[in-house]
């Protein structure tokens, strides 16, 4: 298993190889995924300001394409909590959109929505 992300250095876990990749860089993401079986998508752009919805969608497309190209068997995605009643917030609609983008045809996606 390899981990790509911010602050991913120094994890002491057996069979874990830590790598870093800048998600907006498709080449770096593809390189990070080579040799992996699965990848966790734990990315939120909301704190970056501006149009985070578009950045989240673009990052999800890059991640999904790289996962498919690398032959990953699984993407694990932590989605948002869907409201029981009423419309979803802008943030939750963005999380739903990411969940729709992530499962490329060649790589199944498990989406977890916290209760």
């Amino acid at each position: 298993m390899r981990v790509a992300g911010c602050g991913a250095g120094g994890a002491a876990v057996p069979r874990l190889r830590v790598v870093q990749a800048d998600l907006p860089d498709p080449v770096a993401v593809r390189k990070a995924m080579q040799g992996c079986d699965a990848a966790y998508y734990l990315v939120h752009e909301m704190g970056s300001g501006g149009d985070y919805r578009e950045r989240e969608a673009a990052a999800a497309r890059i991640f999904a394409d790289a996962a498919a190209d690398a032959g990953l068997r699984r993407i694990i995605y932590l989605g948002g909590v869907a409201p029981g009643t009423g419309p979803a917030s802008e943030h939750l609609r963005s999380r739903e959109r990411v969940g729709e983008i992530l499962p490329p045809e060649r790589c199944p996606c498990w989406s977890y929505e916290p209760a």
Side-chain angles (χ1 to χ4, degrees), residues 2-114:
R2 292 190 280 175
V3 176
C6 299
V13 177
R15 296 177 16 172
L16 175 69
R17 181 172 170 209
V18 177
V19 297
Q20 291 193 330
D22 188 10
L23 194 51
D25 181 352
V27 174
V29 177
R30 280 183 169 83
K31 183 178 176 184
M33 288 194 186
Q34 292 303 311
C36 294
D37 290 326
Y40 288 84
Y41 191 85
L42 305 172
V43 177
H44 290 272
E45 293 281 345
M46 194 171 163
S48 303
D51 193 2
Y52 68 89
R53 294 170 311 245
E54 285 307 314
R55 282 194 311 277
E56 284 192 341
R61 282 190 288 273
I62 290 169
F63 192 91
D65 290 345
D69 290 348
L72 265 66
R73 296 186 307 173
R74 184 84 54 222
I75 293 173
I76 299 95
Y77 170 59
L78 178 61
V81 179
T85 59
S89 68
E90 188 174 324
H91 172 250
L92 289 178
R93 286 193 308 272
S94 179
R95 304 309 303 149
E96 289 172 355
R97 182 176 178 201
V98 167
E100 293 168 358
I101 293 168
L102 279 178
E105 292 177 4
R106 296 177 285 157
C107 182
C109 180
W110 288 350
S111 180
Y112 295 99
E113 295 179 1

